[in-house]
Amino acid sequence: MPVHESSPVPTHREKRRKKMERNDDEIGTENRKAETPIVEDIEQDSSLTPNGGSIAGFESLHRLLCASLSPQVFQEVKRLLLGLNCGRAVEPINLPDPAKALSAKHDFDLQAFCFHADKEVLRGPQTVRVGLIQNSIALPTTAPFLDQKRAIFEKLRPIIDAAGAAGVNILCLQEAWTMPFAFCTREKRWCEFAEPVDGESTQFIQDLARKYNMVIISSILERDVKHGETLWNTAVIIGNRGNIIGKHRKNHIPRVGDFNESTYYMEGNTGHPVFETAYGKIAVNICYGRHHPLNWLAFGLNGAEIVFNPSATVGELSEPMWPIEARNAAIANSYFVASINRVGTEIFPNPFTSGDGKPQHADFGHFYGSSHFSAPDSSCTPSLSRYRDGLIISDMDLNLCRQLKDKWGFRMTARYELYADMLSRYVQPDFEPQVIADPLLHK
Ligand SMILES: NC(=O)NCCC(=O)O
């Protein structure tokens, strides 16, 4: 949305624009486009419909608030919405020019931040640079499958190059990044996108991991050839030397809305592995697993310092939950959470229904991006765009995890033996809920 020419007397719109420019460094983006429209104008501009994926014409809630509030009010809102890290707002950081140039050339959102930890006497900082990529598909879902997949590879390459140029140590891609999220359709032909753990996509990523000395988490539709060619929703963990460290299979498969994934693959059988990498102990909680606090807990009990949540989810279903669940998991488990969601609306050749009485339709709805980081001290970064491809980067001092354990003592004050007892009783067929009824209730 172009910003219109100015007149000698500043209009309300120009005042707003000036305020946005003043606040620009708050946004922490290196590539803000001259797009941002003014809230009051939106009702008059029918091109700014929610279908474009914007929030009242803005790329993210953060940008909307930054442009709409006075700087003082915005500071206060930000303090409450994003929290404080070591007593200060989470800071944007500058990135090397080659990374910025790639974002400008290939038109993806690029933002970068830093989480600090307190200085310790006996331990040096353990700072790692982490990156998350969100993207839309590259070709229509009607294109030949191989073309679709290869076009996504080529779309991602410059974004991964930007992560490499920015010195990212650990990078995570979105859930099932090699394909459209076609599981809504229930059509089995999409199974053709499945690949073995050491297949074509992994090889593509291995080269880049080696090139940039980067750990990369690659979430794919897996075909397990040795076990009867079964399918899984799997994150492959590729080490910074290009080696395959291991894999994790999605534990919880959604049965909600159009998320008909249970037609394609079963609940994972890999437990809650933590991967000890050159840059820290990491785990992957794939998409719908984020609704299960015990799933988050298990990764924490195994010692994760960063848990990645590669996702594919749509606004109508889950957007209000998105920032809350991630942040809560980071707080409750004293680790960092890295949340990634794809962007765009994917339209499929054949309409489908999902047994909910709604008319047949050919798309899932809008995947709302909004990838971001949450820290164990309850601070979090602003989110990437709601509708553009993007790379969000954050430095994080992993010492913060133990510092928060020491401060809040959640690990010590948890009553694991009580929970274990409760759960072991709950899974028995003859389980009786512990309910003490008021004897006067029915008198
Ligand atoms: N991919 C996936 O598990 N989506 C489920 C929807 C949600 O959890 O928001």
Side-chain angles (χ1 to χ4, degrees):
M1 170 81 180
V3 177
H4 300 300
E5 326 71 280
S6 48
S7 55
V9 181
T11 60
H12 189 57
R13 172 192 279 235
E14 282 158 356
K15 284 186 203 155
R16 288 264 178 181
R17 177 151 56 95
K18 290 214 165 62
K19 187 166 69 178
M20 279 156 40
E21 282 162 8
R22 278 204 309 278
N23 288 341
D24 233 12
D25 57 343
E26 288 294 345
I27 291 178
T29 180
E30 303 302 331
N31 66 336
R32 181 182 185 143
K33 308 194 94 166
E35 94 296 9
T36 325
I38 310 305
V39 174
E40 299 93 297
D41 298 331
I42 286 156
E43 277 147 21
Q44 299 155 32
D45 187 339
S46 58
S47 67
L48 294 169
T49 61
N51 293 341
S54 74
I55 305 175
F58 288 83
E59 288 206 37
S60 69
L61 180 63
H62 188 79
R63 288 172 180 179
L64 183 155
L65 293 173
C66 180
S68 310
L69 302 175
S70 73
Q72 294 82 351
V73 174
F74 179 64
Q75 284 305 321
E76 282 300 277
V77 168
K78 203 170 74 157
R79 181 174 64 78
L80 294 173
L81 273 186
L82 302 183
L84 296 178
N85 166 242
C86 296
R88 285 176 299 173
V90 175
E91 292 169 2
I93 55 171
N94 198 16
L95 292 177
D97 286 341
K100 295 187 215 172
L102 283 162
S103 114
K105 180 168 176 205
H106 297 276
D107 188 26
F108 60 85
D109 191 10
L110 177 66
Q111 302 190 41
F113 301 92
C114 180
F115 293 107
H116 297 282
D118 287 336
K119 195 168 167 2
E120 297 185 17
V121 179
L122 299 180
R123 278 199 310 185
Q126 298 183 73
T127 303
V128 290
R129 181 162 284 194
V130 183
L132 314 174
I133 292 178
Q134 66 177 37
N135 58 280
S136 57
I137 52 175
L139 291 180
T141 60
T142 44
F145 285 0
L146 195 56
D147 293 355
Q148 289 190 51
K149 186 159 74 169
R150 297 270 166 86
I152 297 174
F153 284 16
E154 291 321 311
K155 181 177 225 218
L156 279 196
R157 192 189 294 280
I159 314 184
I160 299 176
D161 286 341
V168 163
N169 302 125
I170 310 175
L171 180 69
C172 186
L173 311 181
Q174 69 197 17
E175 183 183 19
W177 68 270
T178 61
M179 60 183 291
F181 212 70
F183 310 120
C184 49
T185 66
R186 299 199 201 89
E187 293 166 9
K188 294 291 184 153
R189 63 203 184 92
W190 301 101
C191 297
E192 281 202 59
F193 276 95
E195 290 179 44
V197 156
D198 58 358
E200 186 189 16
S201 329
T202 301
Q203 287 160 25
F204 169 73
I205 295 297
Q206 282 178 297
D207 287 346
L208 291 160
R210 229 174 267 122
K211 179 171 177 190
Y212 293 118
N213 196 25
M214 200 166 18
V215 170
I216 305 184
I217 300 160
S218 170
S219 174
I220 59 167
L221 182 63
E222 179 202 348
R223 187 176 289 285
D224 182 354
V225 179
K226 288 189 184 158
H227 288 93
E229 310 205 57
T230 44
L231 298 185
W232 303 92
N233 183 320
T234 300
V236 185
I237 319 302
I238 295 156
N240 55 313
R241 296 183 188 172
N243 53 314
I244 299 174
I245 300 178
K247 64 169 184 272
H248 173 57
R249 290 171 171 162
K250 182 171 179 171
N251 276 336
H252 299 276
I253 309 300
R255 290 160 175 80
V256 59
D258 289 338
F259 287 86
N260 301 319
E261 292 168 59
S262 58
T263 302
Y264 296 87
Y265 37 79
M266 302 299 291
E267 281 71 13
N269 58 0
T270 49
H272 295 91
V274 165
F275 303 94
E276 186 166 4
T277 72
Y279 306 116
K281 292 185 182 160
I282 64 173
V284 193
N285 182 358
I286 304 176
C287 195
Y288 182 80
R290 75 183 183 282
H291 309 300
H292 291 278
L294 293 182
N295 206 44
W296 290 111
L297 172 70
F299 293 118
L301 296 183
N302 279 331
E305 295 166 310
I306 311 169
V307 179
F308 293 86
N309 179 226
S311 299
T313 187
V314 291
E316 201 187 326
L317 182 70
S318 66
E319 200 162 5
M321 300 166 154
W322 177 248
I324 296 171
E325 291 172 312
R327 207 162 166 192
N328 188 52
I331 296 166
N333 298 292
S334 307
Y335 52 48
F336 289 90
V337 171
S339 309
I340 311 108
N341 186 23
R342 65 174 58 205
V343 283
T345 302
E346 299 173 2
I347 299 169
F348 295 95
N350 304 316
F352 53 87
T353 59
S354 290
D356 52 9
K358 290 192 184 152
Q360 62 172 2
H361 45 286
D363 69 86
F364 234 128
H366 180 72
F367 294 103
Y368 54 84
S370 307
S371 304
H372 65 283
F373 294 98
S374 308
D377 62 359
S378 81
S379 60
C380 63
T381 65
S383 299
L384 281 181
S385 170
R386 202 174 175 278
Y387 55 88
R388 286 171 71 213
D389 296 345
L391 167 65
I392 186 166
I393 292 175
S394 189
D395 288 350
M396 45 188 75
D397 184 345
L398 300 179
N399 282 354
L400 192 62
C401 301
R402 193 169 84 183
Q403 290 175 11
L404 263 292
K405 287 177 185 158
D406 288 348
K407 176 175 177 182
W408 278 94
F410 292 145
R411 281 292 169 76
M412 285 196 294
T413 56
R415 299 296 306 278
Y416 299 115
E417 71 288 359
L418 283 184
Y419 314 145
D421 175 58
M422 171 68 191
L423 287 173
S424 62
R425 283 186 290 108
Y426 182 73
V427 296
Q428 298 307 316
D430 60 354
F431 170 72
E432 288 294 332
Q434 183 183 11
V435 178
I436 301 169
D438 179 347
L440 304 181
L441 198 61
H442 302 296
K443 294 232 163 103

